[in-house]
Amino acid sequence: SAVCACACGGQWAKSLGLLVEMWSTRVESNTITYNAAVSACEGGSEWAKALGLLSEMGSDRVNADTITYSATIGSCEHGQTTNHIVALLSQLSSQCRWLVS
């Protein structure tokens, strides 16, 4: 997708812009498009935006996966926000327990 292409090209702002355009035109977003945007945020050290996208996924009823969490944690690592990393790891751990049960 175009969101993925922008993310791979290091264009985090364009990637997010395309995602917002998808929302405004009611084009359905999925885990892959969110992951691309979160990964773009990781590359751009935009940890707050990555956290916002992860939150938005829940609101949009799109399931986050290990790629989502990995990219979000990577973003937080670049931003040196350890408290967010610990919270994300806890959240991922809870999700993994649910999947295994």
Side-chain angles (χ1 to χ4, degrees), residues 10-54:
Q11 302 289 322
W12 68 266
K14 285 184 181 180
S15 182
L16 292 181
L18 287 170
L19 190 59
V20 168
E21 191 173 325
M22 286 176 68
W23 295 333
S24 67
T25 57
R26 302 202 191 281
V27 173
E28 188 175 328
S29 49
N30 59 27
T31 304
I32 295 169
T33 52
Y34 270 104
N35 284 350
V38 172
S39 293
C41 291
E42 178 185 14
S45 299
E46 295 291 329
W47 63 270
K49 290 183 179 18
L51 288 170
L53 286 170
L54 180 62

Side-chain angles (χ1 to χ4, degrees), residues 38 41-42 44-54 71-81 83-84 88:
V38 172
C41 291
E42 178 185 14
S45 299
E46 295 291 329
W47 63 270
K49 290 183 179 18
L51 288 170
L53 286 170
L54 180 62
T72 307
I73 289 167
S75 295
C76 291
E77 184 179 19
H78 292 303
Q80 299 178 359
T81 56
N83 56 334
H84 288 104
L88 288 167

